[in-house]
Amino acid sequence: MTYQPTTYYNSRRQQNWSRNQNTARFSSAVKLGPVAHTVLVVLMVTVLGLIYLTQATRTTSYDYQSQAIESQIADLSTQKSDLEVENARLTSLNNVKNSNVAKAMTTPSNVQYVQQ
Amino acid sequence: MKLELIKGSRSRILAGCLMAVAVLFAVRLFYIQIIQHDYYQQLADSEQIKRLTIPAQRGMIYALSGSQPVPLVMNETVYTLFADPATVTDVQGIIKTVESVAGGNARPNLDKLLTTPNSRYQILATKLTTAQAEAIKKKGLEGIGFQQGSQRVYPEGGLAAQTLGFVDANGDGQYGIEGGLDAELKGKNGLLQSVTDIASVPLTIGSRNVKQPAVNGKNVVLSIDRNIQSYTEGALSRQLTKIGAPDGSVIVMNPQNGQVLAMANWPTYDPSTFNTVTNPSYFNNSVISSPYEPGSDIKTFTMATGIDTGAVTPDSTYNNTGVVNIDGIDIHNAPGDTQFGNITFQTAMNWSLNTGFVTVAERLGDGQNITLKARQTMYDYFYNRFKLGQLTGIQLAGELPGIIIPPSSPDGNAVRYSNMAFGQGLDVTMLQVASAFSSLVNGGKYYKPTVVAGSVDEYGDYHPAAPETPTTYIKPSTANQVRDMTHVARTTVFVGADRPGYYMGGKTGTSQAIVNGRYSNTDTVATYLGYGGTKNETKYVIMVRVSGPHFMGSGAAAAMPIFTDISNWLVRYLNIPPQ
């Protein structure tokens, strides 16, 4: 009785064992010296700083807009309150009693009730 | 090529110096930024972070007009105009503008204020309306500014002044509902802690910003009906002016739920100018804060006690000789008594005979004397069931309890209790008497009196308060008998006073006032305690008191006409059909 040798199975993981490693190396023809590196870093920091300042300023400008709107709301609220006070004054008993309509009213001489 | 500083060269010395300076800077920066970090952080915060109070708006106070809330006390935005004399350029222009726009709100001597040397702040006008402030702002005058504030305004003027009270300069409520519910009306101020710019505009930068919104005060709706209050005040002032009485008070209640519909006092004041009142007694609400000897009104409670315990009935009789002796002290009826002989307690009620109600007190004991048992029974009814001589707990500031001497006290003897049977020897308030009387005309249920009918939410919707539940009881049959007795008493003595078709009743009271601890022969307290409605249901209770220095008048002559005036108007206002 003879035995057939077992077929070896290479997993995909084993096949791509070095997948995450660079398999090709490119060497650039441009060489950056220490000064160029320094300049690039400074430039990057400057750009990032400008971006930060822009965003921070934009937030602050929203604060001013928000403050302006809140101020407008407060003004409108004050106007509303003042109008409510004026309305209450105009509809107060004394004003109603002294109105031309009230002055033209007469006391009923006879009152009768209808039973439902 | 390799660059190298030559030892001892000037360049090397310069480099060394620069290095030393750099090290010095580094050390200094380390000291400032690391070691002194907290100190400079605090300094920066004090400059940049501001804590601003967000003021809570004080709750408004409403009355009812029928079933609709109407504002009695509101908040109005007002401005204080100030000037910085150091930066003012046009003194005459400011004076002319302020005097023409602010009118009476402008301070006198504006010229002097605006030229005050070494001053950076002078108030030129106060309580300016928004329109006035805008008119001044439009002029573009230099060196002036505005401070915004809020003040209470009273659209109905002095209506219900003592019930409302006022808010003082510190923002605290004084007297009335302003004082009684001050904490609820005040609300809670909010807090804004934020980094601000130079113009104090809050900025969102920073991690320690705090914003706690203000909680506005509760808007309270009083059970006071604006129209009933107005008519009551008018009726009171008309009668007092007519008879020349100095002081008076009226309370109108709904006996079916204990709500106060009107509470009037005379003389009165305008809460918007409370600071000009020279007599502080005008602030007092005498209905709750002036205990007095109620006189014959109390006979209704003595009779209720006698009927409820089974000691007497309205038709029981006694022998009226005009005088009764208690422990050696003779107690007489008021002058003018003509009802001698064997008479009923109904007759005693009609003619307000003291002897009848001293007899009721005796019959609570052994029938001959006002025994300890009789006194304990009277105290139980007066104090525990009718709640006389104690605080009612109404939501108004300044309520006083009065006093009822218990029988366990050495002063709680038979003579005192004989006097208490017809309304002397005890101190009670009008509110206590009216609330207790309500239980006699509503079938025997005592409701705790209240002036609060509900609240108005931030959207303006009215939410009525939960109805009160009665706290103590007497038998409904007792209450109905006393109600009928007072109806008979009123219709017997004051024939034709009421509109026909209605069921009214009441009891007069006239007592000597106590002045400097003694009964005065020149001062009386005249009262009338009554009710109205239909035979089936009592709709209102009215109590009137007329008094004051050197006032001599009876309940029938001085107080009863006020009751009649209000009562006959009230049946129409409440749309009660006659039967």
Side-chain angles (χ1 to χ4, degrees):
Chain A
M1 187 176 177
T2 59
Y3 293 91
Q4 201 65 19
T6 306
T7 305
Y8 288 99
Y9 172 72
N10 281 336
S11 71
R12 218 176 146 188
R13 185 185 177 92
Q14 286 172 315
Q15 288 172 1
N16 299 309
W17 181 78
S18 56
R19 187 182 64 172
N20 293 326
Q21 291 186 357
N22 291 331
T23 52
R25 183 175 180 182
F26 299 99
S27 35
S28 172
V30 179
K31 300 284 183 188
L32 294 177
V35 174
H37 271 117
T38 307
V39 169
L40 280 175
V41 169
V42 169
L43 278 173
M44 283 170 65
V45 169
T46 307
V47 169
L48 285 173
L50 283 172
I51 290 170
Y52 170 77
L53 283 175
T54 310
Q55 295 304 313
T57 310
R58 182 181 289 177
T59 311
T60 307
S61 74
Y62 287 145
D63 289 334
Y64 287 110
Q65 285 179 34
S66 167
Q67 177 68 18
I69 291 169
E70 282 187 16
S71 176
Q72 198 177 358
I73 290 170
D75 287 346
L76 290 171
S77 179
T78 302
Q79 281 180 34
K80 178 173 171 278
S81 299
D82 290 348
L83 287 171
E84 283 174 349
V85 171
E86 193 58 27
N87 177 55
R89 279 184 178 135
L90 291 171
T91 55
S92 68
L93 277 181
N94 272 339
N95 272 323
V96 172
K97 279 179 189 170
N98 294 326
S99 68
N100 291 332
V101 176
K103 281 176 182 169
M105 289 181 173
T106 55
T107 306
S109 56
N110 185 22
V111 176
Q112 294 192 343
Y113 290 82
V114 177
Q115 297 284 352
Q116 289 185 328
Chain B
M1 186 180 71
K2 189 177 179 184
L3 292 174
E4 192 174 302
L5 294 174
I6 300 166
K7 192 175 182 181
S9 68
R10 283 180 294 180
S11 301
R12 188 160 184 165
I13 292 168
L14 181 63
C17 288
L18 287 173
M19 184 59 73
V21 170
V23 169
L24 200 65
F25 274 34
V27 170
R28 181 65 181 160
L29 284 173
F30 180 82
Y31 178 74
I32 290 172
Q33 295 191 2
I34 308 297
I35 297 175
Q36 292 280 77
H37 172 269
D38 291 344
Y39 171 72
Y40 285 105
Q41 180 73 49
Q42 200 177 350
L43 275 183
D45 287 351
S46 66
E47 286 286 325
Q48 298 163 358
I49 297 180
K50 287 194 177 163
R51 289 169 65 89
L52 307 169
T53 299
I54 306 171
Q57 194 176 48
R58 194 173 175 89
M60 299 209 298
I61 302 172
Y62 294 80
L64 289 171
S65 183
S67 58
Q68 190 69 26
V70 288
L72 282 186
V73 186
M74 306 177 82
N75 300 307
E76 187 177 43
T77 307
V78 289
Y79 298 85
T80 298
L81 172 65
F82 65 89
D84 176 0
T87 58
V88 165
T89 54
D90 182 6
V91 172
Q92 290 309 315
I94 292 175
I95 292 172
K96 190 179 170 188
T97 303
V98 173
E99 284 181 343
S100 63
V101 176
N105 291 329
R107 290 275 171 92
N109 301 322
L110 289 176
D111 190 18
K112 191 178 172 188
L113 295 174
L114 287 165
T115 53
T116 306
N118 303 321
S119 172
R120 302 300 304 268
Y121 184 82
Q122 291 291 336
I123 292 176
L124 305 181
T126 56
K127 296 184 179 180
L128 297 177
T129 63
T130 306
Q132 288 174 315
E134 289 297 326
I136 296 174
K137 279 180 192 171
K138 275 183 186 171
K139 298 285 182 183
L141 299 163
E142 283 185 26
I144 61 169
F146 294 88
Q147 280 176 325
Q148 188 177 317
S150 178
Q151 73 171 6
R152 296 297 246 182
V153 287
Y154 305 85
E156 300 289 347
L159 192 76
Q162 288 82 9
T163 307
L164 296 177
F166 56 85
V167 178
D168 67 16
N170 298 322
D172 297 325
Q174 302 290 345
Y175 299 90
I177 199 78
E178 294 275 23
L181 294 183
D182 189 40
E184 287 181 49
L185 288 165
K186 256 184 184 168
K188 195 175 175 186
N189 288 340
L191 172 68
L192 177 63
Q193 178 180 293
S194 173
V195 175
T196 61
D197 71 357
I198 196 163
S200 295
V201 175
L203 305 175
T204 49
I205 58 174
S207 58
R208 283 178 292 167
N209 291 356
V210 177
K211 186 171 185 181
Q212 292 173 345
V215 180
N216 289 335
K218 186 179 175 184
N219 298 319
V220 177
V221 180
L222 301 180
S223 57
I224 300 289
D225 186 293
R226 174 175 73 162
N227 303 299
I228 300 175
Q229 178 72 32
S230 175
Y231 193 88
T232 300
E233 289 184 5
L236 178 64
S237 65
R238 279 194 299 273
Q239 172 70 358
L240 295 190
T241 306
K242 183 179 169 187
I243 63 176
D247 298 320
S249 300
V250 180
I251 178 172
V252 182
M253 289 185 74
N254 179 347
Q256 305 302 336
N257 58 17
Q259 289 189 346
V260 177
L261 302 175
M263 211 182 257
N265 292 277
W266 185 265
T268 186
Y269 73 103
D270 185 345
S272 64
T273 55
F274 72 90
N275 51 334
T276 62
V277 174
T278 52
N279 186 350
S281 69
Y282 291 0
F283 297 145
N284 283 330
N285 185 348
S286 295
V287 175
I288 64 164
S289 59
S290 298
Y292 71 107
E293 287 199 345
S296 298
D297 301 336
I298 288 296
K299 289 170 182 169
T300 54
F301 302 115
T302 306
M303 196 66 211
T305 305
I307 294 172
D308 210 52
T309 54
V312 294
T313 69
D315 295 327
S316 302
T317 58
Y318 78 103
N319 184 28
N320 176 34
T321 60
V323 62
V324 59
N325 187 281
I326 302 293
D327 288 355
I329 304 288
D330 282 342
I331 295 171
H332 297 266
N333 289 326
D337 175 18
T338 57
Q339 308 292 317
F340 297 108
N342 220 28
I343 62 169
T344 64
F345 287 107
Q346 176 67 66
T347 305
M349 180 72 82
N350 296 349
W351 302 103
S352 198
L353 305 178
N354 295 341
T355 52
F357 298 91
V358 175
T359 304
V360 172
E362 288 177 332
R363 292 189 187 178
L364 291 171
D366 60 7
Q368 302 296 319
N369 301 288
I370 303 177
T371 61
L372 179 63
K373 175 175 170 284
R375 283 178 273 149
Q376 285 172 336
T377 303
M378 279 182 70
Y379 184 79
D380 177 44
Y381 273 80
F382 280 29
Y383 189 82
N384 295 325
R385 300 190 187 218
F386 296 130
K387 308 284 184 188
L388 300 173
Q390 58 189 288
L391 296 174
T392 65
I394 198 164
Q395 303 89 342
L396 303 175
E399 185 186 15
L400 291 178
I403 190 167
I404 291 186
I405 306 290
S408 56
S409 164
D411 289 336
N413 53 30
V415 174
R416 174 173 294 277
Y417 272 74
S418 66
N419 279 262
M420 281 170 54
F422 55 88
Q424 291 190 349
L426 72 168
D427 270 352
V428 294
T429 63
M430 288 177 68
L431 179 66
Q432 291 166 10
V433 175
S435 303
F437 188 68
S438 294
S439 73
L440 295 181
V441 296
N442 70 3
K445 302 179 288 287
Y446 179 90
Y447 288 94
K448 179 183 167 185
T450 179
V451 286
V452 175
S455 60
V456 168
D457 65 20
E458 58 188 312
Y459 306 107
D461 296 328
Y462 171 45
H463 301 279
E468 292 278 344
T469 50
T471 52
T472 56
Y473 296 87
I474 59 168
K475 293 172 192 163
S477 60
T478 302
N480 292 338
Q481 287 179 75
V482 177
R483 180 175 182 250
D484 290 343
M485 285 182 80
T486 50
H487 170 71
V488 172
R490 177 169 176 80
T491 51
T492 302
V493 179
F494 306 114
V495 181
D498 302 320
R499 285 190 193 281
Y502 298 99
Y503 199 79
M504 279 104 170
K507 182 74 195 76
T508 55
T510 309
S511 56
Q512 286 175 286
I514 297 175
V515 178
N516 297 327
R518 293 185 175 187
Y519 285 112
S520 166
N521 291 322
T522 59
D523 301 74
T524 57
V525 180
T527 56
Y528 193 82
L529 175 64
Y531 66 89
T534 62
K535 173 72 176 166
N536 297 331
E537 188 180 36
T538 305
K539 297 288 188 183
Y540 54 85
V541 162
I542 303 171
M543 185 171 186
V544 182
R545 180 186 58 81
V546 179
S547 61
H550 310 299
F551 168 73
M552 290 286 288
S554 68
M560 200 283 288
I562 300 174
F563 170 89
T564 306
D565 186 359
I566 299 169
S567 175
N568 285 335
W569 175 83
L570 208 47
V571 290
R572 290 267 173 90
Y573 175 72
L574 295 175
N575 283 324
I576 306 169
Q579 292 181 336

